[in-house]
Amino acid sequence: MTAAARTRFPVVLTVLAVILLGVLLALGVWQVQRMQWKEGLIAAAEAATDQPPVPLAEALKADNPEFRRVILTCRGLSAAPYVELQSIEDGDAGVRLVSACAAEDGAILLVDRGFVAAEVSARPPVVVADTMPVVFTGVLRRAPAPSALTPPPAQGRFYGRDAEAMALALKVEGTVSPFTVFATTSSNPDWAALKPSAPPAAFSNNHLGYALTWFGLAVALIAFYGVLLRRRMTRKDLDS
């Protein structure tokens, strides 16, 4: 290529194309990494579901105890103070009752005791001085923080799972675990309206599609740049 031809090379266009190509490829690689992370999370959740429940203290020693089935004892849980979390269970509106539990090993956790349908106005009794031990099984889950659009709590009812605010409302003293125990056996077996359950470990894994989209845009950019460059160089050669 002659010196005159080199001066016609679209340097600015090329630099912009290279920068944009780098961004698209980086986004594609990031989505592949996210896909691998999500697949690992799904595998861990499925493996934890198949394992028998273990004592809470043992589960909390794991690097990532989320989704582990645990068995624990909470004194006074059947008559413990609670906050209500607005929820939907199998299409029915209602609330979930959330109490604090000081486990035998000293850990302090929030316990989601279960779902109560909206048409049920009754609630379990609250007896602060109750120390009767309640043994139950549950699933450890790291509760997601509420979004900025979540309404603030009002009159003891929450609209997002804000663990810190719930602990404050329950007057918990000490550090609360980042994990919530979702009871799978009832803290109040004599009260059928309370339905203990753990939310399903549902994951959306669309990262492969996102990665292919970014890589596809990168290929399209290369093709577009090649066509544009060829036309520009051909036109300038004809003008010279």
Side-chain angles (χ1 to χ4, degrees), residues 200-224:
F203 302 99
S204 59
N205 190 7
N206 302 319
H207 300 290
L208 177 60
Y210 298 150
L212 293 176
T213 298
W214 291 121
F215 289 138
L217 289 173
V219 172
L221 174 65
I222 294 172
F224 176 76

Side-chain angles (χ1 to χ4, degrees), residues 56-57 60 71-78 80-81 98-113 128 130-136 167 170-177 179 181:
L56 175 67
L60 291 177
I71 182 169
L72 67 157
T73 301
C74 290
R75 290 190 174 274
L77 183 62
S78 60
V98 181
S99 298
C101 169
E104 292 182 330
D105 65 342
I108 302 175
L109 303 95
L110 295 181
V111 177
D112 187 313
R113 294 162 62 181
V128 178
D130 188 355
T131 59
M132 180 68 67
V134 176
V135 181
F136 67 101
L170 292 168
K171 300 179 181 179
V172 175
E173 297 181 0
T175 303
V176 179
S177 170
F179 294 97
V181 179

